[in-house]
Amino acid sequence: MRCPNCGFSDSKVTDSRSVEQGVRRRRQCLGCGSRFTTYERVENLNLVIVKKDERREGFNRGKLLAGIRKACEKRPLPVGTAEKLVDDIESELHRLGQAEIPSSVVGEMVMERLKTLDHIAYIRFASVYRAFTDIGSLKQEVDTLIAGSQLPLLPNKG
Ligand SMILES: [Zn+2]
């Protein structure tokens, strides 16, 4: 952990406390004496995801992030949107406090959030996740979106 002020690589911890996603540490640089705070996150939740075919696998933040990033590709969303979304979902999963979570629950959490952010990203994610088998079910999803539109698909004119 390098000092943000002078770059010195050694510091002492003056305070340490647990926060929702990891540990917050107050540090003091042993080089220049300046104080700074670090947040050390727990990389992966100790959580088991139960897939549709009952197979189990450890929760993988990177995999979830990759899927969301892909759905959000080239959409006019602020930098860090996908990361924030994953953080949000991790916190919620953490709050649920269950050792095993069905993958469908995680998928619904993602879609619920994408729906309010960007409809195209939502449809992209849903089409992979729900594996629309025909154009009819895809159209139905789009129609539902338009009917209950929280975000306009196209800018309103006048
Ligand atoms: Zn320093």
Side-chain angles (χ1 to χ4, degrees), residues 3 6 29 32:
C3 169
C6 72
C29 173
C32 70

Side-chain angles (χ1 to χ4, degrees), residues 15 18 33 121:
D15 182 36
S18 285

Side-chain angles (χ1 to χ4, degrees), residues 1-157:
M1 199 59 64
R2 288 189 177 276
C3 169
N5 185 43
C6 72
F8 192 71
S9 62
D10 211 357
S11 60
K12 69 171 179 184
V13 175
T14 58
D15 182 36
S16 178
R17 65 186 59 185
S18 285
V19 288
E20 195 154 20
Q21 288 296 311
V23 185
R24 191 191 79 138
R25 293 199 167 93
R26 291 285 298 153
R27 292 172 180 275
Q28 186 169 19
C29 173
L30 295 179
C32 70
S34 73
R35 292 165 191 276
F36 56 101
T37 305
T38 57
Y39 292 89
E40 286 149 58
R41 63 173 305 118
V42 180
E43 234 359 276
N44 269 313
L45 286 177
N46 191 15
L47 192 76
V48 173
I49 301 296
V50 185
K51 318 250 285 183
K52 280 178 196 145
D53 59 6
E54 298 289 301
R55 274 187 305 124
R56 276 135 167 94
E57 64 179 35
F59 174 77
N60 184 329
R61 178 186 163 90
K63 196 171 154 189
L64 183 61
L65 184 59
I68 294 171
R69 276 211 184 115
K70 194 154 196 215
C72 294
E73 212 167 61
K74 299 196 174 132
R75 296 302 302 158
L77 292 164
V79 174
T81 296
E83 286 77 5
K84 199 181 162 299
L85 208 145
V86 173
D87 285 348
D88 209 37
I89 286 167
E90 275 190 336
S91 303
E92 192 167 335
L93 290 173
H94 198 73
R95 270 197 301 275
L96 289 176
Q98 293 169 12
E100 295 194 338
I101 306 235
S103 60
S104 58
V105 170
V106 181
E108 295 297 331
M109 282 179 179
V110 175
M111 290 199 290
E112 190 185 296
R113 286 164 175 77
L114 282 180
K115 205 178 219 173
T116 64
L117 282 176
D118 187 275
H119 283 167
I120 300 297
Y122 168 79
I123 287 294
R124 281 176 182 162
F125 190 89
S127 69
V128 173
Y129 176 75
R130 289 216 171 118
F132 295 129
T133 46
D134 58 78
I135 196 78
S137 53
L138 176 59
K139 183 181 181 298
Q140 197 179 7
E141 189 72 42
V142 173
D143 288 346
T144 310
L145 263 184
I146 293 170
S149 202
Q150 289 134 313
L151 286 176
L153 283 176
L154 294 166
N156 288 319
K157 288 192 178 139

